[in-house]
Amino acid sequence: MTSQEEKAEAFRELHHKDRILILPNAWDVPSARVFENEGFPAVATSSAAVMVSLGYPDGELISRHEYLAAVKRIAKVLSIPLSADAVAGFGRTSAEVASTARGLIRAGAVGLNIEDFEHSTKRLFTARSHVEKIKAIKKTGEAMRVPLVINARTDALRYATGGSSARFNEAVDRAISYRDAGADCVYPMGLVDLDQISSFVRALDFPVNVMVRKGLPPVKDLERAGVKRLSFGPSASYAALGLLRRISKEVRGTGTYGSLLEGVLTFDELNSLAVPKA
Amino acid sequence: MTSQEEKAEAFRELHHKDRILILPNAWDVPSARVFENEGFPAVATSSAAVMVSLGYPDGELISRHEYLAAVKRIAKVLSIPLSADAVAGFGRTSAEVASTARGLIRAGAVGLNIEDFEHSTKRLFTARSHVEKIKAIKKTGEAMRVPLVINARTDALRYATGGSSARFNEAVDRAISYRDAGADCVYPMGLVDLDQISSFVRALDFPVNVMVRKGLPPVKDLERAGVKRLSFGPSASYAALGLLRRISKEVRGTGTYGSLLEGVLTFDELNSLAVPKA
């Protein structure tokens, strides 16, 4: 039986291997358990996919309580580490963010993403306030003896002022501050181009997270560029819902069930995903 | 604005058209909303898919409260009728089943499935006790002025005693009792063969529900045989999780993202599924 502390340390170490850490983002119990069955060493959540699955648009419209309950359901059935996307931490103050971090530890998570902008306004928080939040999370993990792995996301590439080069520099500056404040990985949202990714990694000399999206170079190129973590973001939920759309069009169109019956799980396999891996 | 009573009546009428009612089974908010967007006139839930998504194997291991909360989340975002799979009604007595029916109406559903066997033991309840439950549900719907559409499922084809012909006859006898007790549709679990389906429909002369599974004849053959309702059962969740398995194998195997990026929804499309259709 691995303790939550050991799980956190094992998850941290996965950010310092030669091979990239590929982290699939789930949104409910069976999506997480399928990823575990397929051999991923850890699983993350996607905030957008989790929130929408429960009837909330992405962001912090869901209550912290309902959000933590969703994380807990997933953590309960996973034997591998779980990292939770905590949006901007469910609160504007470091104390509120620390409270969210405590809730995540109690829910069974060993890592989290925290982003430096406000979903409702798309405005960046100051780098300084984000640094304070990162420090508060780190302190919370130490106090509870579950050293949470902090993935500090910056949305400066999207929402900082100035042209693309000014925004890139702002993202690098912010990532350096977050790294120095005690984050374990930095996550510049919006990096796709291999040259930009390489520049970012060189500027940081530290674990960097990139997200799967159209145009992202394949895993081997990311590894060569020194990227240490690749996450799916909401992509797997986009794909699963895209399949439901194709299924619907087929059944309503031709009245056949090919897409509904090919490459599927069985009833017993589905049920086995409700409980921890044997 | 359609009242819940009108929705129930509209849903009932869909069982008496020339065209078969194709009813996709969802398990969370976005799966239900995708089906609505694709033009299905109503949506159902799959008990297995809903329960597993929340960390419970199929059956009644989930609390009635948590189950009803899941139904409520889905009903809240749907403009079309929602029918909930209520397993065996969450209780052994008619009073308990009536209480579940009340909960479903309050949660926003206008129809339900109720099955005549106990999940934990796979034993059939007596036909008589199932008839009492159907009557209790009907009375509840009348008292609350939301005339719930009752889909009475029998598992006699699977769990009755005797050979296949004895089990078929038992399924027909039970379905007739359920029809005469006030059900709106009967649902013999396990029918796949077109001749058997036709015999069943002829014996009942009443709306019959069949479920998508390997070997089921295409929609046009079901319509010709007089089947009035076709449901997906848990198939769409089997398919969605099968896709996650293929995605995992591709990303871990070749390090590419084809299956993760083809035919997918966008971020805005995902978010739009968290709220009622515009």
Side-chain angles (χ1 to χ4, degrees), chain B residues 157-168:
Chain B
L157 288 172
R158 305 199 293 166
Y159 299 123
T161 53
S164 62
S165 133
R167 294 200 305 273
F168 185 86

Side-chain angles (χ1 to χ4, degrees), chain B residues 28-219:
Chain B
D28 62 8
V29 167
S31 55
R33 281 285 284 104
V34 162
F35 290 138
E36 179 178 28
N37 277 358
E38 290 303 316
F40 290 102
V43 167
T45 65
S46 152
S47 69
V50 168
M51 306 321 181
V52 173
S53 80
L54 296 167
Y56 302 89
D58 192 19
E60 297 182 1
L61 294 168
I62 194 173
S63 72
R64 187 195 279 157
H65 175 79
E66 194 172 351
Y67 159 73
L68 291 174
V71 173
K72 189 175 178 174
R73 282 193 293 269
I74 298 172
K76 201 176 155 191
V77 296
L78 281 187
S79 308
I80 54 177
L82 175 67
S83 180
D85 187 322
V87 200
F90 289 87
R92 297 185 64 98
T93 68
S94 295
E96 288 172 299
V97 171
S99 166
T100 300
R102 272 195 298 281
L104 284 173
I105 291 174
R106 288 196 195 108
V110 299
L112 84 172
N113 276 14
I114 178 145
E115 58 201 28
D116 65 355
F117 81 110
E118 192 173 50
H119 250 272
S120 52
T121 60
K122 308 292 179 209
R123 287 177 59 179
L124 291 171
F125 295 120
T126 63
R128 187 177 166 163
S129 75
H130 205 58
V131 159
E132 292 311 314
K133 288 172 190 168
I134 290 165
K135 287 181 177 168
I137 295 166
K138 202 174 162 64
K139 230 167 121 178
T140 303
E142 285 164 359
M144 292 179 74
R145 292 178 182 276
V146 178
L148 281 174
V149 176
I150 305 172
N151 188 30
R153 169 171 153 179
T154 176
D155 281 67
L157 288 172
R158 305 199 293 166
Y159 299 123
T161 53
S164 62
S165 133
R167 294 200 305 273
F168 185 86
N169 292 336
E170 174 72 15
V172 168
D173 288 348
R174 283 179 171 248
I176 288 172
S177 307
Y178 305 161
R179 177 195 71 189
D180 295 343
D184 297 284
C185 185
V186 292
Y187 182 14
M189 177 54 67
L191 272 192
V192 184
D193 176 74
L194 188 58
D195 288 341
Q196 281 216 320
I197 293 172
S198 297
S199 303
F200 206 97
V201 170
R202 277 196 304 273
L204 267 290
D205 191 22
F206 189 72
V208 171
N209 187 133
V210 300
M211 186 183 92
V212 170
R213 52 191 304 173
K214 219 175 165 164
L216 191 77
V219 170

